[in-house]
Amino acid sequence: MSTRFQKASEWIDAENSQDPNIETDQNIEYPKELLYSNRMYEKLMQFCPEASEEVQIASKAQHICRWKVARESYPMDRVGYLRWREDLKKFHAKTTAEILERAGYEQTFIDRVSFLIEKKLLKKDAETQLLEDVICLVFLDYYLEPFVEKHDDEKLKNIIKKTWDKMSEKGHQEALKINYSEENLNLIKASLGL
């Protein structure tokens, strides 16, 4: 692992550590985006240990400083939501690019990480697809349960189907290995007609 990778990782963690939103995992409190970043990186390393340095950085920085771009600052409709998501990708890419520049990475590396964070050429670019698979796996493993508590079955089935459609076949196989509660496993099977 290169020194600049270590520096960049530490700086990404330092940024995410400032998240005022707290999430509890196994009775320990974490800044929300630091926990998400750690989960993304760990899941990537489980799913694809040979992932490139660019994908590793992109996984850690996927939601960097997300709290700084509030959903409430956009219209609370579908168009507002999509614009917020698009602006977030650009914000995450720009914030990460500044860190990578400081860590001493060359422009081609920085551009590639930005490309991945902005999820360009999904389904066509293997590394963008890998990152998307990891995002979906992290969602299914850690964030499906809180969603189940907030939404009705129809909305949940729609979310699960959309998540599934974004994933590769390898991602699907990995998703079915996750240790779901019986209710959630039944919900996933019902959503996908399995």
Side-chain angles (χ1 to χ4, degrees):
M1 202 180 283
S2 72
T3 313
R4 50 188 190 175
F5 179 84
Q6 286 169 311
K7 269 190 202 163
S9 295
E10 282 168 20
W11 290 338
I12 290 165
D13 287 349
E15 288 295 328
N16 280 329
S17 294
Q18 294 173 45
D19 190 350
N21 305 294
I22 299 299
E23 208 165 282
T24 305
D25 181 46
Q26 298 177 342
N27 299 320
I28 299 169
E29 290 188 342
Y30 296 91
K32 185 180 174 186
E33 294 311 342
L34 179 64
L35 181 61
Y36 181 79
S37 173
N38 290 340
R39 285 170 168 171
M40 281 290 295
Y41 184 72
E42 283 163 20
K43 186 67 76 181
L44 173 67
M45 292 290 90
Q46 284 166 14
F47 183 57
C48 184
E50 71 283 2
S52 72
E53 207 166 304
E54 290 92 335
V55 181
Q56 290 181 46
I57 297 270
S59 75
K60 283 189 72 62
Q62 188 59 35
H63 279 185
I64 191 166
C65 299
R66 193 180 184 97
W67 68 93
K68 292 183 180 179
V69 184
R71 170 68 185 98
E72 297 73 36
S73 60
Y74 290 77
M76 296 304 281
D77 56 16
R78 180 90 185 131
V79 175
Y81 173 76
L82 293 173
R83 208 170 82 230
W84 173 65
R85 290 292 301 265
E86 212 43 52
D87 287 352
L88 269 176
K89 285 185 213 170
K90 290 179 183 138
F91 169 73
H92 296 320
K94 183 176 180 290
T95 307
T96 308
E98 287 164 3
I99 287 173
L100 295 178
E101 206 174 315
R102 209 163 26 118
Y105 282 100
E106 56 283 347
Q107 196 57 49
T108 49
F109 184 97
I110 296 170
D111 291 346
R112 181 66 180 157
V113 172
S114 295
F115 176 97
L116 293 169
I117 290 175
E118 291 186 45
K119 293 199 251 182
K120 291 186 176 171
L121 295 182
L122 185 59
K123 298 283 183 192
K124 294 188 178 110
D125 183 281
E127 290 189 322
T128 301
Q129 185 58 54
L130 169 59
L131 187 63
E132 186 63 40
D133 279 346
V134 173
I135 291 164
C136 294
L137 290 167
V138 166
F139 168 71
L140 291 168
D141 201 353
Y142 298 103
Y143 300 97
L144 179 62
E145 191 67 52
F147 256 78
V148 168
E149 291 160 16
K150 286 184 202 157
H151 301 290
D152 62 67
D153 273 12
E154 277 321 296
K155 177 147 185 159
L156 287 166
K157 283 179 182 174
N158 191 25
I159 289 167
I160 290 165
K161 182 140 184 25
K162 279 183 180 166
T163 301
W164 204 256
D165 289 346
K166 289 181 199 168
M167 296 170 83
S168 68
E169 188 48 47
K170 188 183 174 205
H172 293 160
Q173 289 166 11
E174 194 68 19
L176 291 172
K177 294 178 195 167
I178 292 170
N179 189 15
Y180 302 103
S181 68
E182 197 176 336
E183 293 91 14
N184 287 354
L185 184 58
N186 291 336
L187 179 67
I188 288 166
K189 286 180 173 174
S191 308
L192 305 172
L194 298 175

